[in-house]
Amino acid sequence: MNKQKKPPIPISGVVYGEIIYWCTCVSALVVLFGTIKSFLEVDQTIPVEYLLNAVFEGRSVEAVWGGSLLQKSPDALTYLAILNSGEAITVAGIAFGVLSVGPAIFFSAAFMWRSHNEFFAVTALVSGAFAVIAPFVFFLL
Amino acid sequence: MMISKRLPELQLLILCTIGCYIFLELFVASAALDGLFGFTGVDIIFISFLLSFFVAIISVIAGVGGGVIFTPLMLAFTSVDTLIIRSTGLVVAMFSGLVASGPFMRKGLADIKLVFLGALPILVGGFVGSMAAVSLSQHLGETGDSIVRVALGLLLAAIALVFIVGGASTEYPEHVERSKLATKLKLRHMYWEDTLQKPVKYTVHNVKIAVLLLFAVGFTGGFFGLGGGWAVVPVLNLVMSVPLKVSAATSGVLLAMGNSAAIWPYINVGALIGVVAAPWMLGQIIGGIVGAHVLSGIKAALVRKLLIVMLFLTSLKLLSRGIEGLFNISIPFI
């Protein structure tokens, strides 16, 4: 019987997928660590029981954070300032997974360029730049 | 061979997650939360994880993102703030796609050229959509929430209709005429079809229309915190004539990428509560890997029918809650 050959798989895709896959696994471990720390902390900047109560009571975002020790809604910089707290570590873990998209696109774009797909390498670069810049847009506004 | 043995990282993740929750249940004194049937904070986290795990599996079988199930149900049946639900919905929609990107790319199922073609419109659309959501919530408060519920109710009914009409989706679409732009961009590819034991070739069509549609999908996903798997697959399959399997895989990769920009406006106003989103994220990662590897043999048609019924019922509930909020009236029986 005529056995057909499997088509080659583009290396740029594999590079993108692998970077995202492993970064997501690492971010899951960071999130787990943050969750445990949230519940074990004694002097809590953001008490986890309070947060859960306030969220499930249906309070607005402003009211949830207004009633905590922070007294105002945190932005990305606030989380960086309290990075030793469980809640901030959890959000940082999620953000790490999200941010892995940027470098994955850039590495993939390099392989795209090498395989003479210049148009897609450029669209990838522009998309990667947007993914990396998006978190900082608010500091520019 | 068992999937967890083939994927040691999955084994480690499952062990760590279950170990973490057992540790919290046994060794952390957690008080019962108000109005939640005596459940403690730790119980809520564990229940959220289990729900997310099953939502991930169902969404993989049905071929939609988890956000389509999570966000409408939470908006319809809980009193949690809509911004918090929508930011968590984006996490739910994103992480199963992020973790599935590896296997999809390794198997050559997701088309990287299509991903990079659709990336920018979906990234920009998602970002603008979530900015609009935050702005609407800050300026209109409760009224804004009611408007969101009514709009999402209508959108869900439309999604259910897309699923019904989606019977028109074809496994291997064929086009006689060639698209000039697609030919210029060399948008032709092939993938190995296991069921046929042969490679399947395809060429892409209607590139310009698809790019516009992907922007709209990104905006809707970012605004409602839904993701948009329900819409990207039809765009790729019905508009661009991409085979169904490649459409589904490419859609997962594309959405995870698009939502990565949409999440930032929510994080920046404090709408992403880590302790609430964490179990949903973990459930999506583990459920997403398990769903993608194990459940290909399950009858997807039955799951999709159940999903259509769920979407219609949830849309009714959302419409009634939205109308009640807007006009200050009470609608009985719903």
Side-chain angles (χ1 to χ4, degrees):
Chain A
M1 202 175 83
N2 181 20
K3 202 170 183 191
Q4 305 217 37
K5 267 177 74 177
K6 285 190 179 183
I9 293 167
I11 185 78
S12 48
V14 177
V15 167
Y16 176 81
E18 290 304 311
I19 294 174
I20 296 270
Y21 182 80
W22 289 105
C23 286
T24 310
C25 289
V26 172
S27 80
L29 293 175
V30 176
V31 163
L32 263 180
F33 175 69
T35 306
I36 295 178
K37 195 166 187 308
S38 297
F39 279 95
L40 292 181
E41 279 168 341
V42 183
D43 295 323
Q44 293 180 316
T45 319
I46 308 167
V48 67
E49 301 273 351
Y50 161 77
L51 266 187
L52 286 169
N53 249 325
V55 167
F56 284 99
E57 271 174 14
R59 289 196 215 167
S60 68
V61 173
E62 294 80 21
V64 168
W65 291 111
S68 74
L69 285 178
L70 289 179
Q71 294 184 327
K72 68 178 180 75
S73 299
D75 55 21
L77 286 178
T78 319
Y79 285 118
L80 286 176
I82 52 164
L83 203 50
N84 58 343
S85 76
E87 174 67 14
I89 292 171
T90 308
V91 173
I94 295 172
F96 177 72
V98 173
L99 282 172
S100 64
V101 168
I105 293 179
F106 289 136
F107 279 106
S108 179
F111 283 93
M112 209 50 146
W113 188 272
R114 279 176 55 176
S115 57
H116 305 291
N117 286 299
E118 289 83 1
F119 174 78
F120 294 101
V122 172
T123 57
L125 279 177
V126 177
S127 308
F130 189 83
V132 171
I133 290 169
F136 303 103
V137 165
F138 308 97
F139 305 118
L140 303 173
L141 293 175
Chain B
M1 194 164 44
M2 264 185 71
I3 180 176
S4 58
K5 282 189 181 168
R6 273 189 285 137
L7 301 168
E9 66 277 14
L10 177 64
Q11 209 170 3
L12 176 74
L13 263 181
I14 293 174
L15 276 176
C16 287
T17 308
I18 302 290
C20 161
Y21 291 138
I22 290 175
F23 171 80
L24 289 176
E25 283 284 4
L26 291 179
F27 299 107
V28 172
S30 182
L33 300 179
D34 301 333
L36 283 172
F37 314 107
F39 286 123
T40 65
V42 175
D43 295 338
I44 292 294
I45 300 283
F46 188 57
I47 291 167
S48 300
F49 168 74
L50 287 179
L51 285 174
S52 178
F53 178 77
F54 290 116
V55 163
I57 291 175
I58 291 168
S59 57
V60 167
I61 299 167
V64 295
V68 172
I69 300 174
F70 170 84
T71 307
L73 282 177
M74 290 290 283
L75 278 176
F77 299 103
T78 73
S79 55
V80 176
D81 183 78
T82 60
L83 274 188
I84 297 174
I85 292 174
R86 286 183 276 170
S87 65
T88 312
L90 278 180
V91 169
V92 169
M94 189 189 323
F95 273 88
S96 58
L98 280 178
V99 83
S101 296
F104 284 153
M105 288 297 187
R106 248 176 262 149
K107 290 176 188 169
L109 280 178
D111 185 334
I112 190 72
K113 282 186 185 173
L114 282 180
V115 169
F116 287 146
L117 182 77
L120 196 59
I122 219 161
L123 271 164
V124 176
F127 189 73
V128 174
S130 55
M131 292 274 276
V134 170
S135 175
L136 185 77
S137 170
Q138 285 172 342
H139 290 99
L140 292 178
E142 291 277 317
T143 313
D145 287 354
S146 298
I147 292 172
V148 166
R149 283 196 169 92
V150 170
L152 185 57
L154 293 172
L155 182 65
L156 275 199
I159 294 172
L161 285 175
V162 167
F163 279 156
I164 293 168
V165 179
S169 298
T170 44
E171 203 81 28
Y172 313 109
E174 281 181 20
H175 252 269
V176 181
E177 74 273 22
R178 300 181 77 92
S179 156
K180 279 182 192 166
L181 184 57
T183 310
K184 205 172 174 184
L185 295 174
K186 294 184 221 160
L187 273 171
R188 54 180 186 275
H189 195 53
M190 66 168 114
Y191 75 102
W192 179 256
E193 178 55 70
D194 259 341
T195 55
L196 302 175
Q197 283 297 299
K198 67 172 193 182
V200 172
K201 287 183 185 174
Y202 61 90
T203 48
V204 172
H205 297 83
N206 302 321
V207 176
K208 288 180 200 163
I209 299 168
V211 166
L212 288 176
L213 287 172
L214 287 175
F215 176 82
V217 172
F219 180 89
T220 321
F223 186 81
F224 291 111
L226 282 180
W230 56 274
V232 176
V233 174
V235 169
L236 293 173
N237 182 249
L238 298 175
V239 180
M240 298 183 92
S241 304
V242 177
L244 199 54
K245 216 175 241 184
V246 179
S247 299
T250 307
S251 153
V253 177
L254 203 46
L255 283 171
M257 192 187 276
N259 292 337
S260 70
I263 195 80
W264 290 106
Y266 289 105
I267 290 181
N268 212 52
V269 293
L272 185 77
I273 311 273
V275 73
V276 175
W280 286 96
M281 170 204 168
L282 294 166
Q284 286 300 306
I285 292 176
I286 297 173
I289 302 177
V290 172
H293 281 84
V294 176
L295 295 164
S296 54
I298 281 190
K299 284 184 180 169
L302 177 69
V303 180
R304 282 174 82 91
K305 277 177 192 160
L306 289 174
L307 192 69
I308 288 167
V309 174
M310 189 213 81
L311 289 174
F312 270 125
L313 292 177
T314 312
S315 88
L316 274 182
K317 181 73 183 168
L318 280 168
L319 284 171
S320 79
R321 280 195 70 181
I323 290 167
E324 281 174 348
L326 279 177
F327 300 105
N328 225 355
I329 53 169
S330 172
I331 300 173
F333 308 118
I334 301 180

